[in-house]
Amino acid sequence: AVYEGKIVSEQELTALLQPLLTQNSRNLVLFLQDRLSIDDFTYFSESYGNKNPFQNQLNKRLTDFLQEILQSSPSSLVLPAVDCKATKYLLNVLQESGDWKLTNVTNLNVSQLEVNASHPNLLVVQLPPLASDLKEISTLEAIAENDKIIGRVTMDLQERGIHFSVIYTAVRPSRISRRTDVVAELRRQLMAAEEEESSSYPPLNVTIGNDTCILFYASNFSLKANNSVLIDLTNATFLTQNVDISASECSDSNTTLSLKYTRPVNGISSLEIRFLMTNKFYEVSARRWSTLDSVEIVQDGEKLAKFIVSGISTPAEYSFHCQLVGTSNLYPARLDRDPTNNEAKNWDVFISNLQIQGFNIINNQFSYASDCTGFFTPGIWMGLVTSIILLWILTYGIHMIMQLTTNSRFDDPKGPALSVPQTE
């Protein structure tokens, strides 16, 4: 029995999956989405009628099951859910639970995938991310496309006579309960899980020998090609670590973080992203400073897009942190397109909650972070300017009031008319 709104922890999730891992059929397909909640199955299926995005057999069966529970319940329900931190470590739990042959399916072409039925197989299917603008219609269309992918993959495996089990989950929840009648403890747990999301997986580290020389972390790491194709590299970089970092280089003065991806999306066979950092001594400040000088994107080993970085520097002993980094002019740390490089015009970069360190790493952990936000933020400047204007108006008003004078003589209606010389 589970209580209202129960949050399943990592240990409980492992216990729940144990029968699935010990059964005869040892082929497991993990469909991993960027965000998903139980409410999505009931909300989208009921709100849009015939436009129900869940049409494949597995998701449709789950949707019907949830609706049946809700309709048969005498009162409103808050269904149990899985802690988002537990789902982030789900892949590690599955890998440690048995001798799996791990296969990352990125091009979603399962017909060319070789599955050895005599050996346990773990297929990880990275589903395309949902729309970033959080509009319901665009989210509905994205979920419908992912539903088609799930149906196509499972149908192909069934036609090939492969017995398998399916897990459909996401890295983080898409909906957080805001009901006032939900238990306060539940709400606090959900809010805490939402706030601690950025620290739920470890940073990417580059180790040469026994020493870690580069640490890299981001809560969202995405690119957009030709203003149309969105490439979300967050899961591949930090969760599944389906990235090649062997080309990274480290030294006392220059460091290069190289991230290579194979077929991140259809149409791109390979993609490499380089972060070039330097460590120099500056006489004015009498200390060494670490600077991220440029970012390069290499597509298919030929097309090079170069970005000049502005505003990313920190004392050499510190790490650098910034909430928003990218090509947008609104970001505090910008990646400016190199005017001599035409390929840079085809790319946009979006990085959220970036933290990077390429020098002086101790105990494989980030050092104290130097944040990109200065002391005088735009909000502080606007507050100061507004206060100065209001203070000037008040001072001018007080000055004008002090200049007012009263008459020293008054006209008496019973006496002669009062004559005031012009000199007065």
Side-chain angles (χ1 to χ4, degrees):
V2 294
Y3 56 83
E4 180 184 22
K6 175 179 174 58
I7 303 299
V8 179
S9 64
E10 181 179 351
Q11 292 77 11
E12 293 173 324
L13 179 61
T14 304
L16 290 174
L17 294 177
Q18 197 61 36
L20 177 66
L21 304 177
T22 56
Q23 65 183 6
N24 295 330
S25 177
R26 296 299 303 277
N27 296 313
L28 184 61
V29 184
L30 173 62
F31 291 101
L32 193 59
Q33 199 166 275
D34 60 339
R35 62 180 190 270
L36 182 70
S37 293
I38 296 179
D39 294 341
D40 293 333
F41 290 92
T42 55
Y43 176 78
F44 288 110
S45 61
E46 293 178 352
S47 300
Y48 295 92
N50 296 330
K51 295 183 179 180
N52 186 347
F54 305 104
Q55 295 296 328
N56 81 76
Q57 182 180 4
L58 298 176
N59 285 339
K60 193 172 183 180
R61 187 181 304 171
L62 175 60
T63 304
D64 295 340
F65 175 70
L66 292 175
Q67 289 180 349
E68 181 181 350
I69 293 178
L70 295 176
Q71 292 174 0
S72 61
S73 174
S75 61
S76 60
L77 290 179
V78 179
L79 297 175
V82 179
D83 189 356
C84 62
K85 291 189 291 185
T87 59
K88 289 179 183 295
Y89 291 102
L90 177 60
L91 184 58
N92 294 333
V93 172
L94 294 176
Q95 288 179 291
E96 295 174 357
S97 62
D99 185 18
W100 300 94
K101 178 186 177 183
L102 177 62
T103 303
N104 289 288
V105 183
T106 55
N107 57 2
L108 303 177
N109 188 4
V110 186
S111 59
Q112 300 179 358
L113 182 65
E114 296 182 359
V115 179
N116 185 3
S118 62
H119 193 276
N121 296 277
L122 175 58
L123 307 180
V124 180
V125 181
Q126 296 282 346
L127 297 174
L130 304 184
S132 58
D133 53 7
L134 298 180
K135 295 181 180 179
E136 292 184 357
I137 298 298
S138 57
T139 303
L140 176 73
E141 296 173 351
I143 290 180
E145 289 299 321
N146 288 348
D147 180 81
K148 294 178 182 178
I149 294 173
I150 295 174
R152 188 166 64 249
V153 172
T154 54
M155 185 63 66
D156 187 275
L157 293 176
Q158 287 178 351
E159 292 176 352
R160 296 164 63 179
I162 300 174
H163 299 281
F164 60 92
S165 301
V166 171
I167 297 178
Y168 180 25
T169 186
V171 178
R172 58 184 182 270
S174 60
R175 299 174 183 271
I176 300 297
S177 175
R178 293 292 186 268
R179 286 182 45 186
T180 57
D181 58 340
V182 177
V183 183
E185 181 181 0
L186 167 63
R187 187 175 186 276
R188 287 196 299 269
Q189 289 176 354
L190 291 174
M191 293 295 291
E194 184 181 31
E195 292 173 357
E196 295 177 1
E197 174 190 347
S198 60
S199 60
S200 54
Y201 50 76
L204 178 71
N205 64 80
V206 177
T207 302
I208 296 181
N210 297 326
D211 299 327
T212 299
C213 60
I214 303 176
L215 289 175
F216 174 67
Y217 177 85
S219 60
N220 178 40
F221 183 27
S222 303
L223 308 177
K224 182 177 285 188
N226 301 319
N227 294 323
S228 59
V229 181
L230 180 64
I231 308 174
D232 192 344
L233 303 174
T234 309
N235 294 341
T237 305
F238 304 103
L239 187 63
T240 63
Q241 294 190 355
N242 188 22
V243 57
D244 182 11
I245 57 176
S246 60
S248 301
E249 299 177 354
C250 296
S251 68
D252 294 336
S253 58
N254 295 279
T255 295
T256 301
L257 173 61
S258 174
L259 307 174
K260 293 182 179 180
Y261 306 88
T262 303
R263 288 195 172 277
V265 292
N266 292 332
I268 299 179
S269 60
S270 65
L271 189 67
E272 181 183 5
I273 305 173
R274 304 181 192 138
F275 295 83
L276 285 76
M277 296 172 282
T278 58
N279 183 13
K280 296 181 180 179
F281 180 81
Y282 292 86
E283 296 181 355
V284 176
S285 59
R287 69 179 308 167
R288 302 186 71 89
W289 287 78
S290 172
T291 306
L292 178 60
D293 297 324
S294 61
V295 175
E296 298 177 350
I297 301 176
V298 183
Q299 177 184 346
D300 300 331
E302 299 176 353
K303 302 177 181 179
L304 172 63
K306 186 175 182 180
F307 299 87
I308 306 300
V309 182
S310 59
I312 298 184
S313 61
T314 180
E317 298 82 8
Y318 296 167
S319 63
F320 176 83
H321 174 268
C322 195
Q323 191 67 27
L324 293 173
V325 178
T327 52
S328 174
N329 294 328
L330 302 177
Y331 289 176
R334 298 197 314 274
L335 305 182
D336 299 322
R337 296 176 177 87
D338 190 341
T340 62
N341 184 268
N342 294 327
E343 287 294 332
K345 301 177 182 179
N346 301 327
W347 291 93
D348 291 296
V349 183
F350 310 98
I351 306 177
S352 301
N353 200 20
L354 168 71
Q355 188 168 3
I356 188 170
Q357 184 175 356
F359 305 94
N360 303 316
I361 297 175
I362 301 175
N363 296 329
N364 300 331
Q365 295 180 349
F366 280 115
S367 302
Y368 174 83
S370 176
D371 201 274
C372 63
T373 303
F375 180 77
F376 285 98
T377 62
I380 294 178
W381 279 114
M382 289 301 299
L384 289 176
V385 171
T386 304
S387 300
I388 291 174
I389 294 175
L390 293 176
L391 183 62
W392 180 83
I393 294 175
L394 178 62
T395 304
Y396 179 76
I398 295 175
H399 175 73
M400 295 301 295
I401 291 175
M402 294 177 64
Q403 297 300 318
L404 295 177
T405 58
T406 58
N407 295 332
S408 59
R409 288 172 290 176
F410 299 92
D411 192 9
D412 185 3
K414 296 182 180 180
L418 180 64
S419 176
V420 179
Q422 293 184 357
T423 56
E424 297 183 9

